[in-house]
Amino acid sequence: MAAFRALRKRIVPSFKARIFASSFNSRSISTLVLAEHEGGAIKPQSVSAVKAASSLSDENSISLLLAGSGPALHEAAANAASCDPSVSQVLVADSEKFSHPLAEPWARLIHLVQQKGGYSHVITASGSFGKNILPRAAALLDVSPITDVIEISDSHLFVRPIYAGNALCTVRYTGAGPCLLSIRSTSFPVSPILADSKSNEAPISQVDLSTFGEDSVCKSRYVKHTSQDTDRPDLGNARVVVTGGRALKSAENFKMIEKLAEKLGAAVGATRAAVDAGYVPNELQVGQTGKIVAPELYLAFGVSGAIQHLAGMRDSKYIVAVNKDADAPIFQVADYGLVGDIFEVIPELLEKLPEKK
């Protein structure tokens, strides 16, 4: 054993190994964040993506990429420049080709910007925008994306849920190309913007689109965009969410959920079964195949607690469940539960709750 210890002390890393370790540690981190904007403002989930990027490294250079056309794009760029002090620059791609967030032109834009910038990471929020664009961009860059990241342990070490959120998987990225990530915005909360944030505005640069050709044929086209005119908060970012399940039995009965949400100033959610039954549009679906939410208060009425639904709301701070089945799985994750008929409980709540001021 003494001879072994003496021999081990004499073994030193080779010159080539020391050079490799030195170059790896000194390699700079630079991140391209794909930003989604609407009405001249950056969406909160894109700011969460910036927060995730800033946790990759203390010396991370973060570029925010916006694409679109018209005055709304430049207004969004001005807001993006001061959305977070960690943003180093804002890149703007102004073209009619990006008037609508189609996957084909956006993926080619990412490929173009990546070739010029040589970013080590590309990050976007794990919403419909990111899920649509990231896989195609990854294919063009010949890399494998890592999706639904909820924790960043190191610049190439990430945690993501698997098995509908019942287990967490730690993934190490070992690819040669850029690391493409989609993050769950609820896992990277946004801090309030300081009053003096305007003094920390990042520079805004135009993306050179002279080499952005028409060589590839778009296999999809924009048809129309529909949205509900409502004063309720956005489901993905609401502090309070009121969700209804199939137990409501009809679209007419589901209006009780909407009335309760209006009284609480809450967003409305629904289970997949309620969406499939036609009670509400699929944009309100919460779950593994819908939206991932993590509000401060989650109210579930007539929700059984299927695994795919729990995967979309189990990170809520407080969960309150109302169901007439005492053995419903939703009660296993609920902080507070009431075994009762929702057709009696909801009207009583509507009667006793004060109007929202």
Side-chain angles (χ1 to χ4, degrees), residues 239-306:
R239 292 177 60 251
V240 181
V241 174
V242 182
T243 294
R246 184 169 49 186
L248 285 157
K249 299 181 179 180
S250 70
E252 185 66 27
N253 291 336
F254 205 93
K255 291 180 180 179
M256 293 191 300
I257 296 292
E258 297 174 353
K259 291 178 181 178
L260 182 59
E262 290 176 3
K263 280 211 167 190
L264 296 172
V268 172
T271 62
R272 178 174 179 175
V275 170
D276 290 345
Y279 301 168
V280 289
N282 57 9
E283 64 190 39
L284 299 182
Q285 181 182 333
V286 174
Q288 187 178 15
T289 56
K291 292 188 176 180
I292 308 297
V293 300
E296 293 183 18
L297 177 61
Y298 188 87
L299 302 170
F301 293 91
V303 176
S304 62

Side-chain angles (χ1 to χ4, degrees), residues 170-184:
T170 300
V171 181
R172 181 180 294 278
Y173 182 74
T174 59
C179 180
L180 269 63
L181 306 172
S182 68
I183 60 99
R184 287 192 177 180

Side-chain angles (χ1 to χ4, degrees), residues 24 68 105 131 194 199 245 291 334:
F24 181 82
K131 290 178 179 179
L194 300 176
S199 62
K291 292 188 176 180

Side-chain angles (χ1 to χ4, degrees), residues 160-169 171 184 288:
R160 62 183 301 271
I162 58 175
Y163 300 118
N166 289 302
L168 297 178
C169 176
V171 181
R184 287 192 177 180
Q288 187 178 15

Side-chain angles (χ1 to χ4, degrees), residues 23-31 57 59-61 118-121 156:
S23 63
F24 181 82
N25 292 332
S26 62
R27 186 173 60 182
S28 61
I29 301 292
S30 60
T31 305
S57 171
E59 299 179 356
N60 187 8
S61 174
Y119 297 96
S120 61
H121 295 73
H156 286 75

Side-chain angles (χ1 to χ4, degrees), residues 127-142:
S128 57
F129 174 79
K131 290 178 179 179
N132 185 33
I133 295 169
L134 199 68
R136 185 176 288 270
L140 291 179
L141 294 169
D142 195 23

